Amino acid sequence: MSRHLIRLAFAVVAFAFAAAIPVACPSMATPSTSRGLISVAQVMQMLEKAPTDRTAQQVLTAYLAGVGEAASAVTSMGSATCRTTLSLSAANVRHALKTAASAPDTAETPATPLIVRDMLIRAGCNGQ
C-alpha cells in the first residue's frame, strides 16, 4: 500500500475526529495525543466501555465508521488493489492495537494509522 495513500487516509480521519471524541465524551476519554490525534489509550478505553456505556458505544461507532470510510475512499481513489474488501470490527481494532497498548506511552501513540494499516493488510491491498 502506498505510504501516500496511508498518510492521506490518516489525515482525513484525524481531521474529522480529533475533536469529536473528547467533545462527545469528555468524562470518559483520556486526552488525545499532544499533537491532537486519537490515541491508542482513547480507543482502548472506548473498546472497554462500549459494551456497557451507550455514549462510548456511539463515539466508538462514529470513530470506526470514519476510519473505515476514509480508508475505503482513499483506496478507491488511489491506485491500490485489494484482494478482498476492507473490513473493520471491534475485535480487529483490539487486535491491531494490542501490541501498541503494551507500549509505555499509549496516550501519545496515534491509533488511526495502526487501525488503517491493519485493515489494508487484512484486505491484501497493494499500491501500484
Side-chain angles (χ1 to χ4, degrees):
M1 181 76 223
S2 165
R3 287 191 184 271
H4 178 69
L5 290 176
I6 292 173
R7 283 189 206 130
L8 182 59
F10 174 66
V12 168
V13 172
F15 176 77
F17 292 98
I21 288 178
V23 170
C25 212
S27 64
M28 63 177 278
T30 57
S32 60
T33 68
S34 59
R35 296 183 352 204
L37 305 173
I38 306 303
S39 71
V40 168
Q42 281 178 292
V43 177
M44 294 301 284
Q45 186 177 35
M46 285 189 295
L47 283 166
E48 290 173 18
K49 292 187 176 196
T52 59
D53 184 323
R54 182 92 169 130
T55 302
Q57 184 181 62
Q58 290 171 341
V59 171
L60 181 63
T61 299
Y63 169 68
L64 295 180
V67 170
E69 287 185 37
S72 180
V74 171
T75 56
S76 295
M77 292 170 35
S79 59
T81 56
C82 301
R83 284 183 279 139
T84 63
T85 58
L86 296 175
S87 64
L88 191 57
S89 70
N92 296 138
V93 171
R94 192 174 280 110
H95 182 266
L97 299 180
K98 186 176 181 182
T99 302
S102 63
D105 196 5
T106 58
E108 282 298 317
T109 305
T112 305
L114 300 172
I115 296 167
V116 170
R117 185 179 304 123
D118 177 70
M119 287 175 62
L120 298 173
I121 290 169
R122 284 185 298 101
C125 299
N126 296 312
Q128 300 297 336

